[in-house]
Amino acid sequence: FCSFFSKQGHNGHHERIDFLSNKEKVSKRKTGLLVGVLLAFLVLAAVAAFLIWLFVCEFINSFKHKATLSAQRGPQSQVFSGHLKLAGVSYDQNLEDTESKEFKDLASTIQEIVSLTLEIKKPSFISLFLFSCIFEGVIAYYWSQFDIPPEDLDVLPEFSEERVLEVLESGLKAQRFSSIHITEVTTSLTDPRMARSPTARDCFFRLEATENGQEFSSPGYPHGYPPKSRCQWQIRASEDMAISVSFPFFHIEDDCSDDFVFIYDSLSPDESQAITNKCGQRPPSNPLEVVSSGNIILINLITDTDVQRPGFQAVYKAIPSSMVKTCGGVLIATEGVITSPLYPSFYPPAVDCKWSIKVPAGKKVRLKFTMFRMKEPGVDIRECHKDYVEVMGTKYCGEMSSLSLTSSTNAVDLTFHSDESYTDKGFSVQYSAFDPTNPCPDMFACASGICIGKEMACDGWNDCGDMSDEMDCKCEKDQFACKNGLCKPKLWECDRVNDCGDGSDEKGCGCEENEWSCGNGVCLPQDVRCDNKKDCEDGSDEASCINSPGICSAFSFKCNNNDCVNKVNAECDRIKDCSDNSDEEYCSKPYKLSRIGGGQNAELGEWPWQVSLHFMTYGHVCGASILSERWLLSASHCFVTSNPANHVPSNWQTYSGMQNQYKYDGVQRLPLKRIISHPDYNQMTFDYDIALLELSEPLEFTNTIQPICLPSSSHVFPAGMACWVTGWGAQREGGQKAQLLQKASVKIINDSVCNVVTEGQVTSRMLCSGFLAGGVDACQGDSGGPLVCFEESGKWFQAGIVSWGEGCARRNKPGVYSRVTKLRQWIKDETGI
Ligand code: 4AZ
């Protein structure tokens, strides 16, 4: 076992020769000291280094003429790592002892040869070239680093794995050493942080796995790992053993681009043999547990942030290779369970298994997967060209929450394949024989062949997973019969959400030509329009009366000079309707950064009016929105509680421009000067759940800090409109607060439906938004945050303040928000905004 030198090439001087200090001996394999082998090793190492150098030299020459890039950019490190498999080589155990003469001789000779090569032939534009190797039996693990100076960065795209491999392979084919042959070579581009760092030696460990579990943990555990750590644990076991590493405790920073653990089925950080990379927190009920395919494994911890997280605790042990490699078989029982090897641990790389299930003639086999996770970066789940389960000619991979299959005969094969890279939790499948003439005695038979309770059929929920339990149902009186055979609650009809899936519940909801359509979908005769009488529940029949200028009704936009504009949503539509321009004042500027859609995490600056309110030492507890440099809007119930400390402004801190609760770049933290809760706020009913917060100093607006537009009291947010709610609240009922700001699209729900589903608890100061089908909602910790809607005018308006709800995301229990339009006048009275 050897590890070699580092050579700093900037000045051409050798800086140091590092030998790893760990003296443990590992392998008990056959020994045989061969001076020739030593020589062969060093020649081999020199050859590899030389070949890589040749490759670099050759093609950099061809690119030299274009190499004049800005010197402002720093040098770029390119690291390649991989292994060389050697044949015809005997192994010398003394090489495992880094203190042995053999090891030192070999290390220094290789150092001499390679540095000599570099001194003479080093291209001036490669500032650092390193070659390091670890011998494990007949495998040499290596990595090479090139630091390309700024002026030569043009060549970077050409530093591809393919080119390096090509050069290595063709060079090795031409090798002239009779005693050894390279039977395999791999090369992969590697994150430079993984291969080497000046501090890596402070955190480098070689461990020997035995059948008794032993422990190691990340530096500083459990108090927190230091930033900029580059730690490596190389674990080995004796031949015919594999290694299992489990992490009973795992809590690394959530953002994997900062901190992460990378595990390899190799001793070098070779991407083609990566087992997995993980960050974040894992619950003890679902610990990370991985296994190697052979008797080596490498664990790297990279940390870049200052955010302190406890780190991990790991237990490693040697397990017989047979446990890893032996799988599959013939199964003749009428029921049983099949799992991927070592389940619930991650399955090992590079295994193939085949199970043949045979049940009595006349029966068929039902397969119900209770776990299916075979996710791998860059895999198209329609092709499954890497790890997969194959049943009846179809390959399955990725992640599936429900997969049920039935055989066409009384026999079925299930094969499992894992390739050399990336493994996952695997699968667990229950199989059972069934009688095709009566597949589900006393139960409902899904089209997939699985059985579910009779009461689950036609209940509006997709219990089979393929909707077959919800087809051809006889709908109850309080249900709507969808065209496609589904039954949905009558309440959901004409709520502007396609609950049936085929749109039939939303068809025929529009109004006739001679009718006026109210915002809540109600149709009234056309002559209700502009008769100065509120006919629609939401007043929308009086909100579009452009032919009645100057007439002020409750549905007119009132200019600052008391003129009235009878136009729907006149404010901030970029049209000057008021003679004093007051309809176009206080409109937040369109945000400059681009919006990135998809997913639940919000981007930095995507919701620039969102504020996080921290209370004493509790961290984030409520949300708020920015109205102006001095004023924030939030919910009264965040401040008026049984704890009087909640009402003390100095106990609160406001964070504007924030996305990640642990990152403060560009964030403005300001204390509160005053909390004004609505005087009519009712702690029992949550009526008037609104509060204004005056900042002790003004905010400075930036790209990520901007105010939200307040709607005028006549603004209509019609039912069915898609709006957005944002916050760091719990991501599910009873769950933990989010670290990254979350966003969710929710629909405005019509008031009469809102009243029914909340059993009459909503007042006119409240509105419902969400989905009656459940699944998307605000939750604890989002309170006080904004519900905002994008208007055709190109502006975002705040329609609501997160207030309350029965649980979170429950069916028929949408979120309830304070209705900003109804409280608009009070905001103006208190703040002048
Ligand atoms: C809360 O406790 C809370 N599902 C906020 C919103 C909702 C429920 C609870 C709406 O702050």
Side-chain angles (χ1 to χ4, degrees):
F1 181 92
C2 67
S3 170
F4 291 103
F5 63 95
S6 72
K7 180 183 183 301
Q8 194 68 42
H10 290 283
N11 52 17
H13 296 304
H14 301 167
E15 283 200 340
R16 62 177 178 198
I17 301 166
D18 283 306
F19 297 102
L20 304 175
S21 56
N22 195 322
K23 295 179 195 127
E24 290 160 82
K25 291 198 176 162
V26 176
S27 173
K28 302 282 175 285
R29 275 166 286 176
K30 69 171 181 186
T31 61
L33 183 64
L34 289 174
V35 176
V37 171
L38 277 184
L39 266 174
F41 275 141
L42 52 93
V43 172
L44 171 74
V47 164
F50 182 68
L51 286 171
I52 291 174
W53 170 80
L54 260 186
F55 150 76
V56 173
C57 188
E58 181 192 308
F59 87 52
I60 288 185
N61 275 339
S62 67
F63 282 92
K64 250 194 143 175
H65 62 280
K66 6 176 194 154
T68 32
L69 273 189
S70 160
Q72 294 161 353
R73 289 151 76 181
Q76 182 98 33
S77 292
Q78 289 288 92
V79 170
F80 294 91
S81 62
H83 69 247
L84 310 164
K85 214 176 227 175
L86 319 175
V89 171
S90 304
Y91 179 74
D92 174 12
Q93 197 179 358
N94 287 333
L95 283 173
E96 288 183 3
D97 181 0
T98 54
E99 293 297 307
S100 73
K101 183 171 179 313
E102 287 79 4
F103 178 89
K104 286 181 178 170
D105 283 352
L106 177 59
S108 66
T109 318
I110 291 188
Q111 186 203 348
E112 234 164 66
I113 292 172
V114 182
S115 54
L116 239 177
T117 315
L118 287 173
E119 288 309 328
I120 302 163
K121 298 180 180 164
K122 178 168 68 82
S124 61
F125 42 84
I126 295 179
S127 59
L128 179 68
F129 176 66
L130 293 159
F131 185 87
S132 173
C133 85
I134 303 158
F135 290 113
E136 170 66 20
V138 292
I139 297 180
Y141 294 92
Y142 73 92
W143 55 266
S144 309
Q145 177 168 330
F146 306 94
D147 281 359
I148 303 156
E151 58 276 15
D152 291 309
L153 285 181
D154 276 6
V155 304
L156 252 187
E158 296 298 320
F159 263 80
S160 67
E161 289 171 3
E162 292 75 23
R163 286 296 304 272
V164 175
L165 196 59
E166 209 178 280
V167 173
L168 267 177
E169 277 176 340
S170 60
L172 292 169
K173 266 194 211 124
Q175 62 189 296
R176 294 277 175 269
F177 312 108
S178 55
S179 57
I180 51 166
H181 292 284
I182 310 298
T183 55
E184 188 180 298
V185 53
T186 67
T187 287
S188 62
L189 193 60
T190 302
D191 183 335
R193 292 174 297 178
M194 219 89 74
R196 174 200 164 269
S197 107
T199 56
R201 282 165 197 88
D202 305 337
C203 199
F204 177 85
F205 308 92
R206 284 195 301 143
L207 307 173
E208 181 189 353
T210 62
E211 283 176 76
N212 300 323
Q214 298 171 80
E215 275 183 24
F216 67 95
S217 50
S218 52
Y221 175 83
H223 306 293
Y225 49 75
K228 306 264 178 292
S229 298
R230 305 284 183 266
C231 296
Q232 287 203 338
W233 290 264
Q234 287 181 353
I235 312 178
R236 302 145 147 263
S238 49
E239 226 170 9
D240 299 328
M241 296 302 255
I243 300 166
S244 134
V245 185
S246 62
F247 294 82
F249 187 91
F250 190 95
H251 189 173
I252 306 287
E253 142 85 301
D254 279 339
D255 186 345
C256 283
S257 59
D258 293 331
D259 300 351
F260 56 93
V261 168
F262 222 118
I263 306 175
Y264 298 90
D265 195 32
S266 166
L267 286 181
S268 73
D270 180 348
E271 174 77 15
S272 67
Q273 290 188 284
I275 292 179
T276 192
N277 62 336
K278 288 273 176 263
C279 66
Q281 191 173 2
R282 292 186 74 95
S285 54
N286 182 23
L288 174 64
E289 192 174 338
V290 295
V291 276
S292 61
S293 64
N295 62 340
I296 46 171
I297 198 163
L298 174 69
I299 292 156
N300 276 9
L301 169 71
I302 305 290
T303 72
D304 277 344
T305 45
D306 297 337
V307 180
Q308 289 254 306
R309 292 281 184 279
F312 65 76
Q313 191 188 17
V315 177
Y316 63 102
K317 63 172 191 265
I319 54 172
S321 276
S322 55
M323 271 175 78
V324 170
K325 299 278 177 213
T326 321
C327 56
V330 176
L331 305 164
I332 49 163
T334 52
E335 59 182 18
V337 175
I338 302 172
T339 64
S340 46
L342 298 167
Y343 182 87
S345 161
F346 277 36
Y347 53 80
V351 285
D352 280 285
C353 316
K354 179 176 174 182
W355 292 269
S356 298
I357 307 168
K358 195 156 186 196
V359 297
K363 302 246 175 191
K364 288 185 178 181
V365 185
R366 175 181 291 137
L367 296 167
K368 189 169 186 295
F369 287 83
T370 52
M371 162 61 86
F372 193 100
R373 259 188 84 108
M374 266 168 250
K375 273 170 86 164
E376 192 159 350
V379 168
D380 179 345
I381 56 160
R382 289 164 303 183
E383 302 227 340
C384 299
H385 67 287
K386 289 173 132 319
D387 303 355
Y388 59 82
V389 160
E390 186 171 350
V391 182
M392 294 183 289
T394 306
K395 286 179 180 162
Y396 302 90
C397 61
E399 182 175 16
M400 275 180 261
S401 55
S402 64
L403 174 64
S404 296
L405 305 166
T406 46
S407 66
S408 42
T409 66
N410 67 329
V412 66
D413 289 346
L414 188 153
T415 54
F416 167 68
H417 168 78
S418 77
D419 71 352
E420 303 76 49
S421 68
Y422 287 100
T423 75
D424 208 333
K425 197 107 188 148
F427 67 87
S428 174
V429 56
Q430 293 166 349
Y431 70 90
S432 54
F434 71 95
D435 176 359
T437 59
N438 183 14
C440 298
D442 296 326
M443 292 183 90
F444 178 85
C446 299
S448 62
I450 62 161
C451 308
I452 58 166
K454 273 210 167 102
E455 70 291 348
M456 289 165 126
C458 295
D459 69 345
W461 292 95
N462 175 13
D463 300 289
C464 286
D466 56 9
M467 283 303 253
S468 55
D469 56 320
E470 295 301 318
M471 295 297 188
D472 307 320
C473 300
K474 218 173 122 258
C475 301
E476 303 288 329
K477 267 216 264 350
D478 59 349
Q479 288 183 318
F480 173 82
C482 301
K483 261 234 160 74
N484 58 13
L486 302 182
C487 299
K488 296 283 173 186
K490 269 232 166 77
L491 264 178
W492 299 11
E493 194 186 349
C494 294
D495 66 349
R496 304 195 189 185
V497 178
N498 177 5
D499 302 293
C500 289
D502 61 359
S504 54
D505 56 320
E506 297 304 314
K507 284 214 179 95
C509 302
C511 300
E512 300 292 326
E513 274 207 346
N514 59 350
E515 287 180 321
W516 169 251
S517 166
C518 299
N520 59 9
V522 173
C523 303
L524 294 175
Q526 274 289 357
D527 55 18
V528 302
R529 278 192 70 195
C530 305
D531 61 356
N532 276 332
K533 210 165 103 260
K534 180 188 164 194
D535 301 285
C536 295
E537 200 185 341
D538 62 0
S540 53
D541 56 316
E542 295 301 313
S544 54
C545 306
I546 41 174
N547 56 352
S548 50
I551 298 175
C552 288
S553 72
F555 313 105
S556 316
F557 178 82
K558 288 192 190 66
C559 308
N560 273 3
N561 60 9
N562 288 331
D563 281 357
C564 287
V565 175
N566 295 303
K567 177 181 175 188
V568 187
N569 302 347
E571 74 269 47
C572 299
D573 65 353
R574 296 198 185 106
I575 298 164
K576 190 176 149 190
D577 300 291
C578 294
S579 56
D580 62 0
N581 200 29
S582 52
D583 57 317
E584 296 302 311
E585 276 176 1
Y586 305 116
C587 304
S588 78
K589 291 182 208 88
Y591 182 56
K592 295 189 199 96
L593 298 181
S594 61
R595 178 172 295 281
I596 302 169
Q600 286 287 98
N601 290 348
E603 299 302 317
L604 177 65
E606 196 179 8
W607 312 98
W609 42 79
Q610 176 78 47
V611 175
S612 168
L613 300 178
H614 287 210
F615 175 66
M616 293 170 84
T617 53
Y618 293 83
H620 170 93
V621 284
C622 272
S625 55
I626 301 172
L627 302 184
S628 72
E629 283 98 336
R630 282 213 176 258
W631 287 99
L632 308 182
L633 184 63
S634 187
S636 236
H637 82 257
C638 296
F639 309 95
V640 183
T641 67
S642 53
N643 179 2
N646 281 119
H647 211 264
V648 179
S650 59
N651 286 338
W652 294 86
Q653 285 291 349
T654 71
Y655 292 82
S656 302
M658 181 178 251
Q659 180 229 11
N660 184 330
Q661 284 286 334
Y662 301 110
K663 284 194 179 154
Y664 297 99
D665 290 350
V667 170
Q668 291 179 34
R669 187 181 82 152
L670 292 175
L672 286 184
K673 183 166 147 190
R674 197 151 58 114
I675 299 169
I676 310 174
S677 294
H678 198 289
D680 297 328
Y681 168 62
N682 183 323
Q683 280 193 67
M684 293 290 290
T685 61
F686 278 41
D687 203 5
Y688 294 94
D689 191 10
I690 184 170
L692 284 159
L693 312 175
E694 192 179 0
L695 296 169
S696 57
E697 279 170 56
L699 278 166
E700 195 182 305
F701 290 156
T702 64
N703 259 359
T704 52
I705 302 178
Q706 289 286 321
I708 181 74
C709 289
L710 284 178
S712 68
S713 31
S714 60
H715 199 118
V716 179
F717 296 101
M721 185 178 197
C723 298
W724 290 83
V725 60
T726 47
W728 288 272
Q731 283 169 280
R732 61 185 159 75
E733 200 175 320
Q736 282 194 332
K737 282 179 273 186
Q739 181 185 332
L740 298 180
L741 180 62
Q742 301 293 301
K743 61 179 176 188
S745 176
V746 284
K747 295 207 171 191
I748 304 286
I749 290 172
N750 110 30
D751 294 334
S752 38
V753 171
C754 175
N755 205 36
V756 171
V757 291
T758 57
E759 286 147 17
Q761 295 181 74
V762 290
T763 68
S764 64
R765 273 77 51 190
M766 301 174 190
L767 67 87
C768 284
S769 189
F771 295 91
L772 294 179
V776 186
D777 196 7
C779 202
Q780 197 172 24
D782 291 321
S783 286
L787 170 74
V788 294
C789 312
F790 191 67
E791 289 289 2
E792 278 166 24
S793 59
K795 305 275 178 206
W796 289 90
F797 287 91
Q798 182 164 356
I801 304 165
V802 179
S803 180
W804 63 277
E806 201 177 308
C808 305
R810 294 187 195 173
R811 194 183 192 200
N812 279 335
K813 298 292 168 201
V816 184
Y817 297 76
S818 309
R819 189 188 288 269
V820 174
T821 50
K822 277 280 170 185
L823 301 157
R824 181 69 185 89
Q825 192 56 43
W826 178 75
I827 299 174
K828 187 157 191 180
D829 294 346
E830 295 295 333
T831 64
I833 299 168

